[in-house]
Amino acid sequence: MGTVTKMAPRQGRGRRLDNPNSQLGRVYLVLRDATRWLQLHEIDNAIVERFGRHDCHAAISARIRELRGYGQTIASRELPGHGTRPHEYRMLGDWGDGGAA
């Protein structure tokens, strides 16, 4: 079962979400431009390919939570399986491709 978290945007921080020099910006840009659901390792691979930087999975997960705090709607769903169940992420709404969950 997937979850969608939508929160009110933070005010007054003055950060640009599309700054590729920050972890937050790199995660935002990859999710914004994604045309499909992505797992953490796929987000990392896209960051390496596009920006030549490696961001660890824990950092990417933290930046996804931070993006939600900025008002971005990011859906999450678990993949079926045994044991550890990986999650996939997708940006929804006005910011991403508008893809449905």
Side-chain angles (χ1 to χ4, degrees), residues 32-52:
R32 181 196 69 186
D33 297 340
T35 58
R36 62 185 179 84
W37 291 86
L38 298 172
Q39 294 180 35
L40 292 175
H41 74 274
E42 294 170 315
I43 295 170
D44 177 43
N45 290 343
I47 288 170
V48 169
E49 187 175 301
R50 287 179 63 180
F51 307 110

Side-chain angles (χ1 to χ4, degrees):
M1 175 177 222
T3 59
V4 176
T5 305
K6 185 161 186 164
M7 300 170 64
R10 291 182 183 165
Q11 300 295 321
R13 293 192 73 180
R15 289 179 110 176
R16 288 185 42 205
L17 293 181
D18 61 352
N19 177 5
N21 294 319
S22 70
Q23 280 184 339
L24 183 66
R26 291 189 293 273
V27 172
Y28 169 79
L29 290 167
V30 166
L31 287 173
R32 181 196 69 186
D33 297 340
T35 58
R36 62 185 179 84
W37 291 86
L38 298 172
Q39 294 180 35
L40 292 175
H41 74 274
E42 294 170 315
I43 295 170
D44 177 43
N45 290 343
I47 288 170
V48 169
E49 187 175 301
R50 287 179 63 180
F51 307 110
R53 301 283 301 266
H54 168 73
D55 295 321
C56 69
H57 296 181
I60 293 168
S61 181
R63 299 301 75 81
I64 288 170
R65 290 190 302 275
E66 190 174 352
L67 284 169
R68 288 174 173 149
Y70 278 98
Q72 305 301 307
T73 304
I74 300 175
S76 169
R77 67 181 182 187
E78 280 187 351
L79 294 175
H82 304 289
T84 301
R85 296 169 66 179
H87 282 76
E88 293 182 318
Y89 301 92
R90 185 159 190 186
M91 188 177 292
L92 304 176
D94 299 332
W95 302 281
D97 190 40

